Structures are given as C-alpha cells and as structure tokens.
Amino acid sequence: MKAGQVFKQPDLAKTLQLISDKGAKGFYEGETADLIAKSMEGHGLITKRDLKDYKAVWRQPITASWNGYRVITAPPPSSGGVGLVQLLKMKADLKDKFQDVPLDSAQYIHLVAEIEKRVFADRAQYLGNPDFYKVPVAQLINDDYILKRAQEVNPDKPSDTKSVQPGLGTSMPEKAETTHFSVVDKWDNAVSNTYTINGYFGSGVIAEGTGIVLNDEMDDFASKPGVPNMFGVVGSDANSIAPKKRPLSSMTPTVLTKDDKVAMVIGTPGGSRIFTSIFQVISNVYDFNMPLPEAVGATRFHHQLLPPDTIYQEPYHQLDPEVIKQLEAKGYKFTMQGFNGDIQAIRINGDTSEPMSDPRGRGVSRVIQ
Ligand code: DON
C-alpha cells in the first residue's frame, strides 16, 4: 500500500451486502456459507450444517448494584461480567486499604493484583458455558461472598498463589475419575465401593457405541523404577508392567465391624491420598472421639516420602501458620494441593446410622427409612 491509495475489500463488501440483503441467512446459508465450508475442506471442521444450525442466543444480563449505579453487564458464557462485578465490589469492600493510595503506585498495583488473583481462581473453576455447566453466578456475585474474598487480600505482600483457591469450595464438581459410595441397609449389610477410571475421564476415549469410558490405569503401574506417576508416587519391579498383570491401586473401600456388627463404612477417591485420608478420619473418630461430621471436615494433610520432606496441605482447611512455621524449622516444606479426598462415610453408633459426605465435595448422604 502507498499513502493515499484507496484500500478496497471487494470480497468482504459482497459478503456484507448479502448480510444486509438477507439478514443472518446471508452469512449462515447460501453463497457465504458455501464459501466458508469450501475453504474449510481438508483443514477445518466447519461444515455447512454447522453454519445452518448456528443460532444466536439471548441471555439475561448480569446486574449488580455498585457505588449507586446499576451495573448491567455480560453473563456467561462470558466470564467478563462476573469478573467485573467481583473486581468492582472487592475494591469497594477494601476502601480502607485503597484510601489515599495513588493510582499507579506500587501499593495500588499490588492491591488490584491481589483482587484479580481471586477473580481468576473463581473463573478457572466455575465459569463456562451455562448451557452445559451450571455456573453459580448468583453465588459468585453475592455481596457477602465477595466481602469474604476481599478479606483474604494480603495488603503487605502477594499471597501465595497456591493458597488462592476458588472461593465456593463446597460446590466442587463431582470428580471425573474415581468415585466412592458407602451403603448400609437395615439388615446390617454393608457395601463400601470405590471404582476408578484413574485420571480425568480416564483415557478420554469411549468404546464406540457402548457409552463406556476407557480408563488410563496403566499410570498406576511403575513405568520405570523411581519414576513418579501422576500422583507423584514411585514404584519398583513389584509394580512393573507385565502382561495380564493388574496395576497397584491405592483404593481403600473399608468396613469396620465390632462384635460382628457394622461400625463404619468409609472410602474416598484421591489416588495416593486415598488411604491417608481414610486413616485420618478413622483416627479422628476413634482416637480423638470426634463426631463423624467433625472428623470428616477436620483438616487433612499428606506426606508420601517423595518429594522429600514435603507435606501437602489442603485449601479446604489450612493448617495453622504457627504450626507450619514450627515444622518448617524442622526442615519440612509445605505444598498446597487442590484435592485431598472426598470421603463418603457412615458410622453406626448404637441404633443410629450417621452418614457423612465430605464438605469438600458435593456428594450427599441420606438415611432412607
Ligand atoms: O486405583 C488407584 O489408586 C487410582 N486409580 C485412583 C485414582 C483416583 O483416586 C483419582 N481421583 N481423584
């Protein structure tokens, strides 16, 4: 192009003219659709059918009150509206901290970054297309919730990234890998059932026509001595791959009985965290005499030899910073992990059955009379 030369886009002009004449049909059908589909052949996936089936969708906007204004903004599948409302309101909640802080000062940038961190933690967990996933919009822009998030902001230094977790902890979706259920009936029959496809959606492959997701259980073998698997655990020849061999599992469906009567049914997903989680809950109930709900809700931690001296803690119930300091002085390191089990347990206490689903997950427990 030279200065002064007139820039023309005749193809685009023709397309815009078709849209002007025929509305949406000028784009999604007819000549334009033919051309798009043709240009996709061999290296793209948009077909004429896709174009014809495409429909614009009317969505209710998000509305919120802020600073005397009514904010009307974009709903999912954009994360923008939720993000904007959270940012505006968190900043308003922190007005004491923002008081007299100049716009482009280090302190201002730090405070805004702290807020943004929390918005993005929620975005990563809860935002998606609402036609496919129930986005908890009302909860995410609830004033009390946003205030609680704002109060987590550390005005002095960046909070540790791993500690910034999605804030609606209990609405964690069901895990897409391992599942546990516990059942006891009135005749004292008990079932503790854990089943696994291992990683998220197993191998990601469905045996066509069956609806069955194929697992990726090969990862539970030690692929090579000393090489960690997806849960960070290592193995030796004892768990090497061999024909017809089943891999080493950590699944721990468990029933406790006393005097030949069922006392507890318990289990959880969690890979190598499975049996350390179950151990902690059983110990909380029987050694620390906690009621089952408290025992399941109590903080859990995990150590698995490797990485060396590393203790995993969990976002749901973090350890006391003072305790962490004492252990760090002994040489331990602390790492936050996103998931530390999803216990489903039933305790039979005399004549009453007390079921408890982990508040970390979204399982539910019922006594059906
Ligand atoms: O059998 C095992 O130990 C693993 N396949 C379990 C994987 C698992 O629990 C993943 N879930 N969070």
Side-chain angles (χ1 to χ4, degrees):
M1 295 294 293
K2 292 193 180 63
Q5 194 178 334
V6 176
F7 176 57
K8 291 192 175 171
Q9 292 173 284
D11 288 345
L12 184 60
K14 204 169 103 201
T15 303
L16 292 176
Q17 191 62 55
L18 281 169
I19 295 170
S20 167
D21 295 343
K22 301 186 176 173
K25 286 194 170 159
F27 181 85
Y28 292 104
E29 295 176 38
E31 197 182 329
T32 315
D34 285 346
L35 288 169
I36 294 173
K38 190 152 172 284
S39 75
M40 286 285 136
E41 273 166 24
H43 50 258
L45 292 172
I46 303 175
T47 63
K48 279 175 69 173
R49 178 72 191 263
D50 294 323
L51 290 163
K52 192 156 189 290
D53 288 350
Y54 189 87
K55 298 272 173 304
V57 181
W58 176 260
R59 313 229 183 232
Q60 252 341 90
I62 285 178
T63 56
S65 317
W66 171 79
N67 198 21
Y69 295 90
R70 182 162 183 248
V71 181
I72 304 166
T73 184
S78 175
S79 59
V82 168
L84 175 66
V85 172
Q86 288 193 333
L87 290 169
L88 290 172
K89 291 198 173 202
M90 263 197 264
K91 181 162 183 278
D93 286 335
L94 293 172
K95 70 169 176 299
D96 293 352
K97 305 234 159 29
F98 276 97
Q99 187 78 43
D100 301 327
V101 176
L103 180 59
D104 48 5
S105 63
Q107 183 59 7
Y108 184 84
I109 293 169
H110 164 65
L111 287 172
V112 173
E114 277 285 289
I115 293 173
E116 288 173 342
K117 253 173 158 165
R118 285 159 177 87
V119 172
F120 275 86
D122 279 356
R123 182 186 191 278
Q125 180 69 35
Y126 307 116
L127 271 297
N129 186 329
D131 297 338
F132 295 80
Y133 180 85
K134 198 170 176 313
V135 181
V137 173
Q139 285 167 274
L140 290 168
I141 60 169
N142 172 279
D143 285 350
D144 295 338
Y145 170 68
I146 292 178
L147 175 62
K148 188 182 122 238
R149 292 293 266 173
Q151 284 162 347
E152 294 166 8
V153 163
N154 185 337
D156 303 322
K157 61 179 179 89
S159 21
D160 175 30
T161 300
K162 291 200 203 86
S163 75
V164 180
Q165 294 290 327
L168 303 173
T170 54
S171 65
M172 183 182 72
E174 184 182 353
K175 303 298 276 183
E177 346 91 331
T178 305
T179 303
H180 180 88
F181 58 81
S182 299
V183 186
V184 182
D185 71 10
K186 64 178 175 188
W187 299 284
D188 208 35
N189 298 300
V191 175
S192 185
N193 182 311
T194 313
Y195 61 96
T196 185
I197 51 172
N198 203 38
Y200 283 106
F201 293 99
S203 59
V205 174
I206 289 194
E208 209 170 325
T210 66
I212 295 168
V213 179
L214 302 180
N215 67 51
D216 60 345
E217 270 299 328
M218 292 301 285
D219 185 69
D220 272 342
F221 281 116
S223 57
K224 245 196 198 174
V227 174
N229 75 355
M230 72 164 84
F231 302 101
V233 281
V234 293
S236 63
D237 267 358
N239 188 32
S240 61
I241 298 171
K244 311 238 158 105
K245 189 171 171 186
R246 287 165 213 220
L248 180 71
S249 173
S250 300
M251 291 189 285
T252 321
T254 301
V255 177
L256 304 187
T257 66
K258 186 160 195 191
D259 303 329
D260 285 338
K261 289 219 157 288
V262 174
M264 182 178 282
V265 189
I266 187 166
T268 180
S272 54
R273 279 80 177 155
I274 290 177
F275 53 94
T276 60
S277 298
I278 294 175
F279 155 72
Q280 287 174 85
V281 175
I282 292 181
S283 153
N284 290 348
V285 170
Y286 295 107
D287 294 341
F288 290 97
N289 293 316
M290 287 183 190
L292 187 62
E294 224 178 273
V296 174
T299 190
R300 292 203 283 267
F301 57 91
H302 176 79
H303 181 51
Q304 56 175 33
L305 180 67
L306 297 172
D309 305 320
T310 299
I311 293 182
Y312 291 92
Q313 60 159 335
E314 53 161 354
Y316 175 73
H317 197 149
Q318 295 186 34
L319 296 167
D320 179 348
E322 193 43 49
V323 170
I324 293 184
K325 241 196 254 158
Q326 288 167 15
L327 288 162
E328 281 174 343
K330 287 189 195 299
Y332 284 107
K333 299 184 222 33
F334 282 82
T335 297
M336 188 63 76
Q337 62 184 355
F339 180 68
N340 197 16
D342 187 1
I343 295 271
Q344 308 299 325
I346 303 170
R347 183 182 188 192
I348 308 294
N349 205 356
D351 283 341
T352 45
S353 43
E354 301 166 355
M356 180 64 195
S357 292
D358 207 316
R360 294 162 181 80
R362 64 171 200 190
V364 289
S365 304
R366 292 274 183 278
V367 178
I368 301 164
Q369 303 288 357

